[in-house]
Amino acid sequence: MSSIQNTGSSWEQLLAIAQKHTSARRVRRAGQSPSTAPIPSSLHKLPPETKPPVLLYRDTNSWCPFCERVWFALEEKEIPFETEFIDLSNKPKWYTDLVPTTLVPAAKIEGKLVYESKDILLALEDRFGQTLLPEDPESNAVTRQLVEDADKSGFLGAGYKLLRESTSDPQVLANLQAEFEAKLDEIEQALAKYSGNYFVSSFSLVDIMYSPHLDRLAANLPVYRNYHIKGNPRFPHLNAWFEALNQRPAYHRVKSDPITNNLLLRRRWGAQPIGNLLPPDAAHSEAIEYRAEAAERLSNNREAAIGDILKNSGVQALAVNGDTSAIAQAVDFHLKLLAEYLLNGNDRPLPWGRVGGKDNADPTIAAVGAITLAYVRNRICAPRDMSAGAATAFRAAADKVLASLY
Ligand SMILES: N[C@@H](CCC(=O)N[C@@H](CS)C(=O)NCC(=O)O)C(=O)O
């Protein structure tokens, strides 16, 4: 493999530029999974050396919708908390001894264990003020009942039955779709009851109970069943509700993005997509704060990223005589191109064809670049690795740099 030209900037320079354009920061967790973790937005409110009042146990990959509920509430209520990640494929014995259901989420609220997402949400209201339940006693009781009923309403079961059905028999699928739509109609009617866009007169625990699941179904069903909740004229209130959620900063911190959700379904269940798993999203991919956040993540966590790529992408197969240092260098080079592109966009042209082009062709370097970019594009998960907006910008940039290789 021939040697690689410098891209122009060092990682340190790229990181400094990225950090100027985003306030997003995460904690590094060297050698652990996940390799970084979000910092709760209210942690700065704690006096130094003080233990946060809440410890949240959640899944390593941040895929669990039930954990997302609790995280969402903690962010909305601005409660400082710390997180312990539980590997669901290999739960530690201390965890299964501690939590009777052995499921995530669980939490210690001032040392007291609470489990089941709904019960944790209610316990947070009891301990930290009822900011996510209406004050007036009558509305408070109605809202509490809606929270109690959310997981019994059957929409989740109907949604996942439609999604996971293995038959391709159109009649069976049409029936499952009709059952699910009937459940969505109930949600639509519930949302129509109050003026405003939430389930009750203000944003509440009910919205938090529903949002992680409806988000996932709204992302998965178009790709795996060609069924659309978003943009569907049958559900105007549900669509206004999604829009209202989108206005909430806490939601942007905790939510996932459609591509993460759709890739996950293929990986976990082997589901066969009908639609495009990786549709472009111009709105998010253009915004500088998201691009800078993605570049910051990449620059700051590059060692873990490079290690993961070398270990898991298959790129080592391209090593000549077992020399992986040249491969590592080519991986580093392409990640740096990606960070540069995230920060500069089209203002500074990519070195089209510099590595793979006809004047300076080195097919191995280009191949390493192609593997690296395709791998990281599909590997990143929001919100595990970065926010949903940053992940969208990251994937769009990876595609753009990938397209510059050949
Ligand atoms: N009813 C529970 C459901 C929690 C749940 O199903 N958690 C899943 C992750 S999404 C889990 O812990 N799975 C691990 C397992 O089944 O062993 C809640 O609301 O907290």
Side-chain angles (χ1 to χ4, degrees):
M1 215 187 298
S2 57
S3 65
I4 293 174
Q5 295 172 40
N6 202 305
T7 58
S9 309
S10 69
W11 278 116
E12 287 69 26
Q13 285 166 329
L14 292 170
L15 180 59
I17 299 167
Q19 290 189 334
K20 250 190 237 157
H21 290 91
T22 175
S23 56
R25 299 284 185 275
R26 292 169 71 104
V27 191
R28 281 221 231 162
R29 296 162 36 91
Q32 298 177 69
S33 177
S35 61
T36 67
I39 301 169
S41 59
S42 53
L43 208 58
H44 68 274
K45 291 201 308 193
L46 272 187
E49 311 292 321
T50 317
K51 222 175 157 40
V54 175
L55 168 61
L56 169 65
Y57 299 103
R58 66 168 312 166
D59 64 314
T60 311
N61 286 315
S62 298
W63 292 334
C64 166
F66 303 96
C67 301
E68 186 180 313
R69 286 175 174 169
V70 179
W71 186 17
F72 195 175
L74 288 166
E75 284 291 337
E76 283 283 348
K77 294 174 80 64
E78 299 185 5
I79 301 169
F81 66 98
E82 54 190 341
T83 305
E84 181 120 14
F85 292 95
I86 306 297
D87 177 357
L88 295 186
S89 61
N90 182 21
K91 286 185 245 180
K93 181 164 179 330
W94 64 260
Y95 189 75
T96 55
D97 286 347
L98 178 72
V99 179
T101 57
T102 79
L103 301 175
V104 288
K108 277 198 177 153
I109 303 179
E110 286 167 339
K112 186 173 176 289
L113 178 76
V114 192
Y115 51 93
E116 284 294 312
S117 57
K118 169 178 68 72
D119 295 333
I120 303 170
L121 294 178
L122 292 168
L124 292 175
E125 290 301 288
D126 288 346
R127 169 58 191 84
F128 298 98
Q130 298 194 23
T131 54
L132 299 175
L133 288 168
E135 237 173 85
D136 139 63
E138 205 182 309
S139 317
N140 188 291
V142 169
T143 309
R144 282 177 182 272
Q145 193 57 51
L146 288 170
V147 170
E148 288 298 330
D149 293 344
D151 283 343
K152 297 177 201 146
S153 74
F155 88 94
L156 202 54
Y160 280 100
K161 227 162 124 189
L162 171 61
L163 203 53
R164 295 195 69 169
E165 174 57 57
S166 56
T167 185
S168 48
D169 180 337
Q171 193 50 53
V172 173
L173 292 173
N175 291 344
L176 290 174
Q177 182 176 313
E179 275 171 38
F180 178 55
E181 281 180 315
K183 294 292 171 195
L184 290 180
D185 286 342
E186 287 172 17
I187 294 178
E188 180 68 18
Q189 282 153 23
L191 282 166
K193 273 204 184 125
Y194 289 82
S195 63
N197 294 323
Y198 297 118
F199 278 89
V200 294
S201 49
S202 57
F203 178 78
S204 74
L205 288 187
V206 189
D207 303 293
I208 288 183
M209 287 295 284
Y210 280 94
S211 74
H213 290 109
L214 281 172
D215 259 350
R216 283 158 179 72
L217 289 166
N220 293 154
L221 286 166
V223 172
Y224 290 93
R225 285 286 173 245
N226 198 19
Y227 182 76
H228 296 260
I229 302 177
K230 289 193 177 166
N232 188 332
R234 179 164 170 164
F235 309 117
H237 290 95
L238 199 40
N239 275 282
W241 177 76
F242 277 124
E243 272 311 305
L245 285 181
N246 245 330
Q247 308 305 317
R248 307 193 74 82
Y251 176 65
H252 283 274
R253 297 177 71 84
V254 308
K255 73 172 191 167
S256 183
D257 72 300
I259 294 178
T260 297
N261 283 328
N262 284 323
L263 287 171
L264 177 63
L265 213 64
R266 183 177 59 79
R267 282 187 200 129
R268 299 270 297 175
W269 296 349
Q272 291 299 318
I274 305 169
N276 185 1
L277 276 173
L278 294 152
D281 176 346
H284 283 127
S285 41
E286 296 307 325
I288 182 62
E289 66 269 27
Y290 287 138
R291 299 175 68 120
E293 183 188 337
E296 199 276 341
R297 291 288 72 242
L298 180 58
S299 312
N300 216 355
N301 204 34
R302 61 187 181 270
E303 278 151 26
I306 293 169
D308 178 40
I309 293 160
L310 291 175
K311 184 161 172 239
N312 297 314
S313 73
V315 80
Q316 302 242 26
L318 295 173
V320 179
N321 300 329
D323 176 12
T324 53
S325 65
I327 301 284
Q329 202 193 353
V331 169
D332 184 278
F333 171 83
H334 286 93
L335 291 183
K336 217 188 272 173
L337 273 189
L338 177 55
E340 284 195 8
Y341 182 73
L342 278 162
L343 293 172
N344 299 316
N346 293 322
D347 295 345
R348 199 186 306 166
L350 282 165
W352 299 101
R354 181 162 65 185
V355 288
K358 44 184 174 338
D359 298 337
N360 186 15
D362 186 325
T364 312
I365 295 175
V368 171
I371 293 170
T372 297
L373 292 162
Y375 179 77
V376 291
R377 180 196 60 189
N378 290 14
R379 173 83 167 116
I380 54 155
C381 274
R384 183 189 65 192
D385 307 319
M386 58 188 76
S387 74
T392 306
F394 184 97
R395 292 197 189 92
D399 276 340
K400 188 77 187 236
V401 181
L402 192 54
S404 79
L405 292 181
Y406 296 104

